[in-house]
Amino acid sequence: MTGRLTRRGFLAGGTAAVATAGIAGRGRAGEAGGEFVVESDYLRLAIGREGLVTQFVDRASGTNYAAPGAPVAAVVKSGKEYPATAAEAGEGRVTLAFGDAKVTATLRATGDKGYLLFEVAAVEGEGVEELRLVDIPLVLKAAADEPFAACALALNLRTKVSQLPRPTGRLRASCYPRFGMVGARVAILGCPADRLREAMQQAVSDAPELPQSPIGGPWAWGQPINQGSYLFNFSNMSEETVDRWIDLAHRLGMNQIDFHGGTSFRFGDCLPNPETYPGGAASLKAVIDKLHAAGIKAGLHTYAFFIDKRCPWVTPRPDPRLAKAATLTLAEALSAESDQVVVNESTAGMLAVTGFFVRNSATVQIDDELIVYRGVNKEPPYGFSGCQRGAYGTQAAAHAPGAKVHHLKECFGLFVPEAESSLLAEVAGKTAEIFNACGFDMIYLDALDGEDVLGGAENGWHYGSRFTFEIWKRLERPALMEMSTFHHHLWYVRSRMGAWDHSTRSHKRFIDIHCQANEANRQMFLPSQLGWWAFKTWTGPQGEPTFSDDIEYLMAKCLGNDTGFALMGIDPDTVDATPALPRLADIIRRYEDLRHSGQVPERIKAELRKPGAEFRLIGNLKEGWYFERVQYARHRVEGLEGVSNAWTLENRFALQPLTLRIESLMTAGPYAGPGNTTLGDFADGAAWRVSAAQTGVSAQWQAVAAETAPGPLPAELTPTAGTALPLVRYSATNSRPSSAGAWCKVETTFSPPLNLSGQQGLGVWVCGDGQGEVLNVQLKSPAHVSHADGEHYIAIDFTGWRYFELIEPEGERYAQYQWPYGNIYSIYRESVNYSKIETLALWYNNLPPGKEAACYLAPVRAVPLATGKLVRPTVAVGGKTVTFPAELESGQYLEYFGSGDCKLYGPKGELVREVMAEGDAILEAGGNRLEFHCEAPAASRPRAQVTVIAQGERLIG
């Protein structure tokens, strides 16, 4: 799509028009019957003399969607809200009074074909902290089946609209003295739902202060570039290697490549890596020219406004426009050699802790020197200790008493420009400069979620948007834009939504959650994204490999939802070095070819996008294709005694031969093994506390003697030689009407954090009451180390004592319960750092309503992990067995698709050998009873994941 450049960005040819007469339009505004009335072609808005919205009327149907009795605006002074109490109409204006606030605000208003426009003309009165120039609650629910839709669009950076640009039931826009209240503008849209996108396009086209993207915001939907899929280049794409990258992209059927900064180029000034691009921008442009010739788009992936510590703004002399968190004064002369900096002011609240997500630096600036400290002295004499002088290429020097000591801001390991300085725009200029010079097509503003460091969380919306707008107005051609955060103003340039970091476990569940979240993008007319994905091989118990069915699941959802995706961690050197990758790459290519062909009918897409529905693509675009329904039913076997090695499976399809996958998992050392770490002494009541509970749930934690616990006790818990393990009774009463969300929490804290890197398994004895409650044994590291919630669930569906080895973190069942914590990353992506374990929490959930639930526990112990071995695994179904004459060590897996098709693979997906299965078995339609057995070394407890695979009917295009 072509467009023309204006001082505010790009306009789509034929779809956007420049406003030429301020806010003049076709609508009418004035006084009628004592009310202030303003109209567009679709909407009539009326404000009564008492400042209340009396009409928000669909002019076609006459339906009034205004919530009764709602003031149209409000001001905030000294933290108190004052709603509008009076309105006085003038020609095209309304002046609002706000009761005891002693403030008035005059708004100019006009109507145009698709929207109403309100602009702040004057604000009179002292102490206004916020003016809500409109705040209109409606009876609309923003439901997809409503005939009328309403939305507010901020028309400049003085105006904050908290809601995203999509149908809403409340229209609210605010302005603040910090950014200027006079001139704040908002468009109020009320129109038939099927005209909303058109009205949005008109409002944006008419706004002289907004960037306008022909492939972003209200123009994003339906643009082919926005539905592309991309690879990540993290370092090694050069003029010498670009042809191999092109081959890889074609092999995968992908048509975009993202150049990630930090390696391809430097964050901040965007200097190309001289080792990869010896000719600087010219070398980088030569690479991108080759990509373009091969039909591949190129993306510039920056860390937004953040500044690498090697940039000229930092070294050899720090720029005075670097952002400061605080400024102190030197209390005494500082020599060039001293490692102690003494200041006059208190250092309370300052830390030496840094980390990728931590909003803190350990760097101070004195004159032209940067100093990195390792300690903070929080008692007089205040100051910093363990100082590295002349840091980041600056010069160590002597400094006089009274010199300013600036504590610099930092996040993601990078410095920050002062928000109100010209440096913010200067960094934006460098971003636009490399985009223009090298011929990039896309920009991803990663780390923009750190915008809060610029001027506080409450102002992040403004400064993040300002930086983005500064880039846009310097671009010489449109850019497909994405960013790592999202709020109202970013929509105007955003081209697609939904790039999440890849999952580490429970991949299909993660994909379903991702698809569900992406549904909201349709309301904003934004295409979705299902990246960032990664091919996973076995690396240990905290992660799960991505098997072929995981990739089929992802690609089927992409196809069903007309959605692209992104793939990281694969390049020309690794694609064949990891044996599993070529097999998975072939799946991607066949799906991407089919998606871009447009040959898949909507009836098949509708089936593909259903949550939980699994398919296998047979064939390809050239030779013919169809989909086959499949079912992958996983079951975990934990030992050959007890109940886990026998289970029931419901086959949804017809009778068929048994096919399956067997994975060998890690095992744990014995509970009573020497050197095991007891995680909190149950005998010490002060170490454990009931720290939280849902309303209506009460919890009790009571140490008990072994003699009083329910029996018979397991041998490992039986008192010997006059000693006994301390036991505890953990009980809770749920007075709520349902078990859903009925939870409580008991926890203990380790200070300093424990190093359990050599003991990454947990062992615990539980005596259950059989009422179906869930016990969650949760480990967490300090927040600056890891955000993971290390879940381990035990369903109390048994009575008496049972032993549990807790190794792999939970993801699959998290969504079955209602927890007061957790998010898509903390559960499905992040992993706890076992070298730093700060808390152990024992959560109770799913508590039976109206009664007490109680279990008894022996102390939780950290136990070492060991490589497991499954020798001659056997699966029995309906009295018939299949035995596999093989040994599977942890990380290996076996796939069996019938006689003559059985393979043993290694941890990276490498073929170890063919296996000749002994026997065969049939999977009946409906219920099937399965059992798992194997030979195992003495004193080991075999653990396996068995996935039964069933095939169903075909879907043919």
Side-chain angles (χ1 to χ4, degrees), residues 23 72 181 190 205 224 232 239-240 249 282-283 306 324 338 386 469 540 598 621 634 638 643 646 756 776 809 895 925:
I23 62 169
V72 69
M181 294 186 289
S205 296
F232 278 87
E239 292 182 76
E240 291 73 30
S283 293
F306 288 95
K324 285 89 176 173
S338 176
F469 288 12
L621 187 61
R634 300 200 305 178
E638 304 192 74
V643 297
L756 301 180
N776 177 9
E895 290 187 335

Side-chain angles (χ1 to χ4, degrees), residues 606-621:
E607 294 295 317
L608 296 178
R609 61 177 172 257
K610 288 180 179 178
E614 299 187 68
F615 298 88
R616 183 185 294 135
L617 173 60
I618 308 298
N620 56 50
L621 187 61

Side-chain angles (χ1 to χ4, degrees), residues 303-378:
Y303 265 24
F305 46 79
F306 288 95
I307 296 171
D308 190 289
K309 294 170 181 176
R310 298 166 295 176
C311 284
W313 295 306
V314 177
T315 182
R317 300 180 65 181
D319 194 294
R321 297 170 296 173
L322 291 175
K324 285 89 176 173
T327 297
L328 312 174
T329 54
L330 201 58
E332 58 188 40
L334 179 65
S335 71
E337 297 78 24
S338 176
D339 67 351
Q340 303 285 324
V341 174
V342 182
V343 297
N344 291 312
E345 297 80 8
S346 171
T347 54
M350 293 187 176
L351 302 170
V353 175
T354 59
F356 189 73
F357 293 105
V358 178
R359 272 67 168 166
N360 181 62
S361 80
T363 305
V364 294
Q365 176 184 345
I366 307 177
D367 299 324
D368 288 333
E369 181 187 358
L370 296 180
I371 301 170
V372 174
Y373 58 84
R374 290 195 295 271
V376 181
N377 305 322
K378 297 189 177 182

Side-chain angles (χ1 to χ4, degrees), residues 640-701:
L640 303 180
E641 304 83 22
V643 297
S644 71
N645 69 322
W647 70 101
T648 299
L649 179 145
E650 187 73 18
N651 172 22
R652 300 198 303 265
F653 307 127
L655 178 147
Q656 58 190 279
L658 174 70
T659 61
L660 51 75
R661 177 190 300 128
I662 300 174
E663 303 168 61
S664 180
L665 305 178
M666 296 287 284
T667 63
Y671 181 76
N676 290 350
T677 301
T678 297
L679 301 180
D681 186 353
F682 285 174
D684 181 5
W688 292 85
R689 65 190 185 283
V690 178
S691 59
Q694 174 66 282
T695 303
V697 175
S698 60
Q700 296 81 38
W701 179 264

Side-chain angles (χ1 to χ4, degrees), residues 209-281:
E209 296 178 72
L210 290 181
Q212 295 161 30
S213 168
I215 54 175
W219 289 280
W221 194 262
Q223 302 294 339
I225 188 175
N226 296 343
Q227 292 179 305
S229 295
Y230 60 93
L231 287 167
F232 278 87
N233 162 38
F234 281 98
S235 64
N236 66 353
M237 191 190 306
S238 64
E239 292 182 76
E240 291 73 30
T241 64
V242 63
D243 290 333
R244 297 177 62 212
W245 278 91
I246 291 170
D247 290 343
L248 175 60
H250 288 166
R251 181 176 174 183
L252 290 161
M254 305 182 80
N255 55 12
Q256 299 171 355
I257 295 179
D258 177 274
F259 289 69
H260 198 287
T263 48
S264 296
F265 58 90
R266 192 162 62 193
F267 293 134
D269 63 357
C270 296
L271 177 73
N273 186 335
E275 295 183 4
T276 310
Y277 309 107

Side-chain angles (χ1 to χ4, degrees), residues 567-581:
L567 184 61
M568 59 169 48
I570 183 171
D571 58 42
D573 294 329
T574 61
V575 65
D576 291 315
T578 302
L581 300 192

